[in-house]
């Protein structure tokens, strides 16, 4: 069953789900320290994936990487250190994980770039 967050992305006519694995075994969340009354900072441990040059498939490695996601609970905005949103215009699975954890129902407009819209 798809979450409401995923359905929102599909409603805009884009399919980002093959771009990143949503069912990966990451998400070792630590309790977020409050930076201020509305900003939380999550630390997420994720596996490192590499692309096999021969088969062009992603392979998980035993290495781990720590990502930090800052989440604004008032405006439903988030920023991740992986910078996938800033570089490729695609929301990363770290941010989606934080949204799922906080039961966010809508994606903020900052995550839906003009090039992904039909209007």
């Amino acid at each position: 069953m798809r979450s409401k967050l995923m359905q929102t992305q599909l409603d805009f006519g884009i399919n980002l789900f093959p771009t990143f694995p949503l069912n990966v075994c990451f998400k070792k969340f630590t309790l977020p320290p409050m930076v201020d009354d509305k900003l939380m900072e999550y630390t997420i441990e994720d596996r490192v994936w590499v692309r096999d040059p021969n088969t062009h498939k992603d392979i998980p490695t035993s290495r781990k990487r720590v990502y930090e996601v800052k989440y604004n609970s008032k405006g439903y905005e988030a920023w991740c250190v992986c910078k996938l949103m800033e570089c490729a215009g695609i929301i990363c699975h770290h941010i989606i994980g934080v949204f799922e954890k906080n039961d966010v129902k809508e994606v903020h407009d900052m995550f839906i770039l003009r090039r992904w819209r039909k209007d």
Side-chain angles (χ1 to χ4, degrees):
M1 183 171 163
R2 289 206 166 128
S3 71
K4 293 177 184 175
L5 180 66
M6 293 177 192
Q7 188 60 44
T8 302
Q9 288 185 348
L10 288 177
D11 289 343
F12 280 92
I14 55 175
N15 187 1
L16 300 178
F17 306 113
T19 308
F20 50 82
L22 288 177
N23 57 353
V24 293
C25 298
F26 83 154
K27 298 192 181 152
K28 181 180 177 185
F29 284 95
T30 58
L31 291 175
M34 297 295 283
V35 177
D36 61 22
D37 63 337
K38 60 181 177 178
L39 190 65
M40 292 184 282
E41 189 171 296
Y42 285 87
T43 303
I44 302 169
E45 186 176 296
D46 195 359
R47 280 197 270 172
V48 176
W49 293 64
V50 295
R51 184 167 288 262
D52 185 349
N54 298 325
T55 62
H56 301 291
K57 293 187 177 185
D58 292 333
I59 302 169
T61 64
S62 60
R63 293 182 295 164
K64 302 280 185 184
R65 173 114 202 275
V66 175
Y67 296 92
E68 292 178 2
V69 176
K70 291 185 179 177
Y71 171 66
N72 179 350
S73 60
K74 299 291 186 207
Y76 302 113
E77 301 170 327
W79 302 269
C80 183
V81 296
C82 76
K83 302 288 186 197
L84 184 63
M85 185 65 201
E86 289 83 355
C87 294
I90 299 171
I91 188 170
C92 69
H93 65 275
H94 311 116
I95 291 176
I96 289 178
V98 169
F99 282 171
E100 288 287 328
K101 185 116 178 123
N102 288 288
D103 198 33
V104 174
K105 303 283 191 254
E106 292 183 16
V107 178
H108 192 274
D109 289 339
M110 72 181 275
F111 295 111
I112 304 167
L113 301 180
R114 185 166 195 82
R115 65 179 173 203
W116 298 121
R117 297 177 188 223
K118 286 185 175 180
D119 57 330

